[in-house]
């Protein structure tokens, strides 16, 4: 207890040293949907969360019957790719039907007991499963699981991870495994008879049967049991002929399971214990990329601040609740990594990438137990920051003092070996972390509410601006329509005026024509009268015979005057015709202008006319 303040302070100071790229957690299975729930981040930092947790209720359902259920999530560590976790629950005396494994599989028995059966190149093999067992199956293995009926009648719960091996990679999109029934049903009866060298009725029984769900009630009769074994053997025979079946363990020693509760713990004290399983502890993990670990923290305890240099931890909470603190490096870009803390409960999955300093804490009122899988089967050697095994004790104190910008005396007090434990007493540490987390949640909510309020205000301002802009455009449109209407009215009036002038001109032309016609008629009457007078005068001359000379002179003078008067009349008529021609030209010009106005209306309305007027003015 006396070492707790220094240990906690030390962890806070040193959590800023190392980091790696952030980790993604996804939901998987039938819908491949994201179900990640991020932990609460330090509110004074930006970027992605580091630690991530998938809640139990956010698992993706794969199958559910009255005899059991399967759910899954997918995690990605940013290095090796996708890890698919499945949670298989079998009711007592239930059967998980045979499947063909597409990937490497490491399983852990959470509760209950049963039997694991699989087919390899040699034979159909089986091992008994009990609580705490772990085992590994190879890609290409055909396996099925049956839960026990007696004596506990406890459900068989299996946590399994599916991933790549060192020699092989599988495509996550095709799933972790496929039903052997689906594989057989893809071929017709003739093909299967020739492949298995089996009677037609046997093959027909296999391919005509109704496809069952993945988990069914275990067959009670010997005949039914032989049916499942026969189906598995059929497929084993077919796959063996193609060389596809996996090569499993070659002897009984390698076939043994490894039980976490019967193994020697790596560390244990009154505050809890921890255990890791690698390829050195379990031969079946050879060539696998997955190791196994388990941690049990008693009430008010903490797994000291540390990081894993070799593998990512993918953990499942088995019992109780706890707080997880994960730290980023101060050298990582804020947009890529961010410190985080989160609370986990039974059934949750949480992931911490390699090189990320972390601490796991239990609450004062209950223990906190979690197990999981690491992305390396080599001995991980976690690097702890506190105690005699602290990695910092290997560094020069002057260098450390410069790193933290403190005195050598302060560094000496922090590095003084006060405990040899990696699991520490840490009363109320989880409660304090939860309090900080809740405060950060409230702060984030306030910030989100403030951000939402700010966005609403900005949206309202933008909306008002948009409405004002629309109103302005409407006013401009009304003004433009008004101007266009005025222009149209003006054009109409001008057109009426032109029409009136045209009609008046037409009327004047008709009147002029009528006057011209009257003049011509008058001239014709005058000529007739003159002709009559000449004839009369001639007649009188002929009758009188005297005074002819004077009369002839008078007549000549009269004719001369008449000719002058006629010439003046002809010049007046020419002027009238010339004026009429000019009026016609003026009318033609007005008509041409009218056609030009109509063309301007079609070309650009009011603005087009203005442009044309300017062109005319410049011209």
């Amino acid at each position: 207890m006396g070492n707790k303040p220094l240990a906690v302070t030390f962890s806070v100071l040193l959590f800023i040293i190392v980091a790696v790229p952030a980790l993604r957690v996804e939901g998987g299975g039938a819908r491949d949907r994201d179900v990640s729930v991020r932990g609460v981040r330090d509110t004074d930092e930006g970027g992605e969360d580091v630690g991530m947790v998938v809640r139990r209720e956010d698992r993706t359902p794969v199958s559910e019957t009255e005899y059991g259920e399967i759910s899954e999530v997918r995690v990605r560590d940013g290095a090796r790719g996708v890890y698919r976790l499945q949670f298989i629950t079998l009711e007592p005396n239930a059967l998980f039907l045979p499947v063909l494994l597409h990937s490497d599989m490491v399983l852990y028995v959470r509760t209950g007991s049963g039997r694991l059966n699989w087919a390899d190149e040699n034979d159909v093999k089986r091992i008994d499963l009990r609580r705490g067992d772990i085992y590994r199956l190879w890609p290409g293995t055909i396996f099925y699981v049956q839960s026990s009926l007696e004596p506990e009648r406890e459900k068989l719960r299996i946590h399994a991870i599916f991933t790549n091996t060192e020699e092989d990679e599988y495509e996550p999109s095709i799933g972790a495994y496929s039903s052997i029934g689906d594989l057989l049903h893809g071929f017709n009866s003739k093909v299967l008879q020739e492949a298995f060298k089996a009677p037609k009725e046997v093959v027909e029984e296999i391919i005509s049967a109704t496809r069952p769900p993945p988990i069914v009630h275990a067959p009670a009769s010997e005949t039914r049991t032989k049916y499942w074994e026969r189906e598995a053997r059929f497929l084993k025979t077919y796959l063996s002929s193609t060389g596809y079946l996996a090569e499993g363990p070659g002897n009984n020693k390698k076939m043994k399971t490894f039980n976490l509760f019967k193994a020697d713990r790596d560390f244990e004290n009154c505050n809890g214990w921890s255990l890791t399983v690698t390829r050195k502890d379990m031969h079946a993990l050879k060539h696998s990329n997955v190791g196994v670990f388990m941690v049990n923290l008693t009430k008010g305890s903490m797994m000291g601040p540390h990081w894993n240099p070799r593998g990512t931890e993918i953990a499942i909470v088995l019992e109780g609740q706890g707080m997880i603190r994960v730290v980023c490096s101060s050298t990582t870009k804020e947009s890529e990594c961010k410190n985080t803390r989160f609370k986990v409960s039974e059934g949750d999955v949480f992931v911490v990438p390699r090189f990320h300093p972390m601490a796991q804490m239990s609450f004062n009122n209950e223990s906190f137990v979690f197990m999981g899988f690491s992305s390396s089967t080599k001995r991980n050697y976690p690097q702890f920051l506190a105690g005699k095994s602290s990695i910092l004790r290997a560094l020069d104190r002057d260098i450390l003092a410069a790193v933290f910008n403190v005195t050598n005396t302060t560094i000496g007090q922090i590095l003084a070996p006060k405990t040899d434990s990696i699991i520490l007493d840490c009363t109320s540490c989880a409660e304090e972390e939860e309090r900080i987390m809740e405060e950060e949640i409230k702060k984030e909510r306030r910030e989100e509410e403030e951000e939402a309020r700010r966005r609403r205000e900005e949206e309202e301002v933008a909306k008002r601006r948009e409405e004002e802009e629309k109103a302005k455009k409407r006013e401009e449109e009304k003004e433009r329509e008004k101007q266009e209407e005025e222009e149209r009215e003006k054009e109409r009036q001008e057109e009426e005026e032109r029409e009136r002038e045209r009609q008046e001109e037409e009327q004047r032309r008709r009147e002029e024509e009528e006057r011209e016609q009257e003049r011509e008629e008058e001239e014709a009457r005058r000529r007739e009268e003159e002709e009559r007078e000449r004839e009369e005068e001639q007649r009188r001359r002929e009758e009188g015979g005297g005074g002819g000379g004077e009369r002839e002179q008078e007549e000549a003078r009269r004719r001369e005057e008449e000719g002058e008067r006629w010439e003046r009349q002809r010049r007046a008529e020419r002027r009238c015709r010339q004026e009429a021609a000019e009026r016609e030209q003026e009318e033609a010009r007005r008509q041409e202008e009218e056609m030009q106005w109509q063309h301007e209306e079609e070309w650009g309305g009011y603005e087009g006319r203005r442009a044309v007027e300017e062109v005319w003015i410049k011209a």
Side-chain angles (χ1 to χ4, degrees):
M1 290 294 292
N3 296 335
K4 184 178 74 171
L6 280 177
V8 175
T9 302
F10 184 64
S11 66
V12 173
L13 290 174
L14 298 182
F15 267 10
I16 64 173
I17 297 177
V18 291
V20 292
L23 186 85
R24 267 183 71 200
V25 177
E26 304 175 5
R31 294 191 295 271
D32 278 345
R33 60 184 179 92
D34 287 345
V35 294
S36 60
V37 180
R38 299 185 181 274
V40 175
R41 308 179 297 234
D42 281 354
T43 55
D44 59 346
E45 301 181 7
E48 295 287 338
D49 294 321
V50 178
M52 305 184 74
V53 55
V54 182
R55 304 299 178 190
R56 179 172 184 170
E57 59 270 19
D58 292 326
R59 297 174 185 172
T60 301
V62 176
S63 176
E64 183 175 0
T65 71
E66 61 179 310
Y67 304 110
E69 61 182 30
I70 305 171
S71 61
E72 85 174 12
V73 298
R74 293 196 308 164
V75 297
R76 187 189 305 272
D77 66 357
R80 294 185 179 274
V82 175
Y83 298 87
R84 188 186 299 263
L85 276 73
Q86 283 201 354
F87 303 86
I88 303 171
T89 300
L90 301 181
E91 296 289 339
N93 201 32
L95 180 67
F96 178 84
L97 294 179
V99 295
L100 173 63
L101 190 59
H102 299 162
S103 66
D104 196 44
M105 173 183 177
V106 178
L107 63 88
Y108 165 75
V109 180
R110 171 73 178 90
T111 63
S113 61
R115 174 169 291 184
L116 171 66
N117 305 266
W118 75 94
D120 63 16
E121 62 179 358
N122 298 316
D123 199 359
V124 176
K125 300 181 179 180
R126 57 181 61 86
I127 58 172
D128 292 329
L129 300 176
R130 62 190 184 282
R131 178 175 176 268
D133 281 350
I134 59 175
Y135 198 69
R136 182 259 185 118
L137 292 175
W138 287 256
T141 301
I142 299 172
F143 77 95
Y144 60 97
V145 181
Q146 183 171 350
S147 59
S148 299
L149 178 61
E150 299 294 345
E152 302 89 354
R153 294 190 61 83
E154 187 177 15
K155 294 180 181 180
L156 175 60
R157 292 184 174 89
I158 295 176
H159 302 340
I161 187 170
F162 302 87
T163 182
N164 300 323
T165 65
E166 293 180 352
E167 295 87 4
D168 187 24
E169 291 188 3
Y170 89 104
E171 173 55 49
S173 62
I174 66 173
Y177 49 77
S178 57
S179 168
I180 64 171
D182 291 339
L183 297 178
L184 290 177
H185 292 154
F187 298 96
N188 60 42
S189 175
K190 180 64 175 177
V191 171
L192 295 179
Q193 288 180 53
E194 294 299 328
F196 295 119
K197 304 302 180 182
K200 179 178 180 180
E201 58 272 14
V202 175
V203 173
E204 288 292 342
E205 181 183 359
I206 293 293
I207 63 177
S208 63
T210 303
R211 299 185 183 183
I215 300 175
V216 299
H217 181 64
S221 66
E222 181 180 356
T223 302
R224 193 61 175 168
T225 302
K226 289 183 178 179
Y227 170 80
W228 297 115
E229 293 183 354
R230 182 171 56 198
E231 186 180 55
R233 287 179 183 273
F234 277 2
L235 190 59
K236 170 184 174 297
T237 301
Y238 178 72
L239 295 177
S240 295
S241 65
T242 63
Y244 185 72
L245 268 178
E247 297 182 5
N251 55 56
N252 293 333
K253 180 178 180 180
K254 296 179 182 180
M255 284 177 52
K256 291 182 179 180
T257 60
F258 186 98
N259 192 278
L260 295 179
F261 298 115
K262 294 184 177 182
D264 295 333
R265 281 84 183 261
D266 297 335
F267 178 86
E268 184 173 11
N269 64 9
C270 61
N271 299 313
W273 56 267
S274 66
L275 171 65
T276 60
V277 182
T278 67
R279 63 182 65 178
K280 291 183 178 181
D281 305 304
M282 183 178 178
H283 189 272
L285 294 178
K286 185 178 180 181
H287 303 302
S288 173
N289 287 323
V290 176
V292 181
F293 65 89
M294 178 174 282
V295 176
N296 186 324
L297 300 179
T298 61
K299 300 177 181 179
S301 300
M302 174 180 69
M303 173 68 77
H306 65 284
W307 74 85
N308 293 317
R310 288 182 179 245
T312 294
E313 286 189 3
I314 305 166
I316 306 166
V317 180
L318 302 181
E319 297 178 13
Q321 295 180 323
M323 291 296 301
I324 312 298
R325 175 63 168 166
V326 184
V327 178
C328 275
S329 167
S330 61
T331 61
T332 305
K333 292 182 180 179
E334 291 184 353
S335 61
E336 296 178 355
C337 188
K338 191 168 185 182
N339 295 348
T340 183
R341 55 173 58 85
F342 47 84
K343 183 179 181 180
V344 291
S345 303
E346 182 176 343
D348 292 346
V349 177
F350 64 92
V351 188
V352 181
R354 62 192 295 231
F355 291 123
H356 278 63
M358 75 184 96
Q360 298 96 347
M361 292 154 276
S362 62
F363 287 91
N364 294 340
N365 60 348
E366 62 180 340
S367 298
F368 178 36
V369 182
F370 58 93
M371 65 80 56
F373 308 96
S374 62
S375 60
S376 175
T377 55
K378 298 179 181 179
R379 183 64 65 178
N380 195 29
Y381 299 111
Q383 302 298 306
F384 284 86
L385 300 174
K388 292 181 179 180
S389 59
S390 171
I391 186 63
L392 299 181
R393 292 176 61 82
L395 301 179
D396 185 271
R397 293 192 177 188
D398 293 333
I399 301 298
L400 289 177
V403 169
F404 294 106
N405 196 23
V406 296
T407 64
N408 286 5
T409 303
T410 301
I411 292 297
Q413 292 176 347
I414 291 178
L415 293 183
K418 302 189 174 51
T419 178
D420 192 27
S421 297
I422 61 175
I423 299 180
L424 312 170
D425 173 52
C426 198
T427 304
S428 300
C429 289
E431 284 78 2
E432 178 66 13
E433 283 288 312
E434 184 178 27
R435 183 191 65 79
I436 297 174
M437 179 187 71
E438 292 174 350
E439 290 179 355
E440 291 175 345
I441 290 175
K442 292 179 181 178
K443 183 177 180 180
E444 286 186 357
R445 288 176 179 172
R446 288 194 299 270
E447 291 175 350
E448 290 174 356
E449 292 173 356
E450 179 64 23
E451 178 65 19
R453 184 189 62 78
R454 184 185 62 79
R455 285 197 301 268
R456 287 196 300 270
E457 292 177 352
E458 291 178 352
E459 290 173 357
E460 291 175 358
V461 171
K463 185 177 180 180
R464 285 197 299 271
R465 289 178 180 173
E466 183 179 358
E467 291 176 351
E468 292 173 357
E469 185 68 21
K470 289 181 179 179
K472 182 179 178 181
K473 289 182 179 179
R474 286 195 296 269
E475 290 297 325
E476 293 176 351
E477 184 67 22
K478 289 181 180 178
E479 183 64 24
R480 186 165 55 254
E481 291 176 355
K482 181 179 178 181
Q483 292 178 355
E484 292 176 355
E485 181 63 27
E486 291 175 353
E487 285 295 319
R488 287 193 294 270
E489 180 64 21
K490 182 178 178 181
E491 290 176 1
R492 185 184 62 79
Q493 293 176 357
E494 292 175 351
E495 176 65 23
E496 291 177 354
E497 180 66 20
R498 288 193 296 272
E499 179 65 20
R500 184 182 61 78
E501 292 176 355
R502 187 185 63 78
Q503 292 177 358
E504 291 177 354
E505 181 65 24
E506 181 68 21
Q507 180 65 25
R508 285 193 299 269
R509 186 182 61 78
R510 287 196 300 269
E511 291 175 354
E512 184 64 27
E513 290 176 353
E514 290 175 356
R515 285 194 297 269
E516 180 67 21
Q517 184 178 0
E518 289 177 356
R519 284 194 297 271
E520 290 178 355
E521 292 175 353
E522 179 65 25
E523 180 63 23
R525 285 193 301 270
R526 185 188 60 80
R527 284 194 299 270
E528 291 177 357
E529 181 65 25
E530 288 178 351
E531 183 65 25
R532 238 183 354 262
E533 288 178 355
R534 282 193 302 271
E535 292 176 356
E536 181 67 25
E537 182 64 26
Q538 182 67 26
R539 186 180 60 77
R540 283 195 301 269
R541 280 197 306 269
E542 291 176 355
E543 290 178 352
E550 294 179 358
R551 285 194 298 272
E552 290 178 358
Q553 292 176 358
E554 182 67 23
E555 180 66 21
R557 190 170 50 251
R558 188 184 62 78
R559 284 197 299 271
E560 183 178 354
E561 291 176 355
E562 182 67 22
E564 292 176 357
R565 186 175 63 81
W566 174 247
E567 183 64 26
R568 286 194 301 271
Q569 184 174 356
R570 288 180 61 186
R571 286 197 296 269
E573 290 176 355
R574 283 196 299 271
R575 285 196 301 271
C576 289
R577 285 194 295 272
Q578 185 176 359
E579 291 176 358
E582 290 176 354
R583 285 194 297 274
E584 290 178 357
Q585 291 178 357
E586 180 66 21
E587 177 64 21
R589 186 183 64 80
R590 282 197 297 269
Q591 291 178 355
E592 183 179 357
E593 290 178 355
E594 180 180 352
M595 293 177 64
Q596 185 65 32
W597 280 103
Q598 293 177 353
H599 176 69
E600 292 169 6
E601 182 68 22
E602 296 176 354
W603 179 47
Y606 175 72
E607 296 179 357
R609 291 194 296 276
R610 290 289 301 275
V612 173
E613 288 176 0
E614 292 177 0
V615 173
W616 287 354
I617 291 171
K618 292 179 180 179

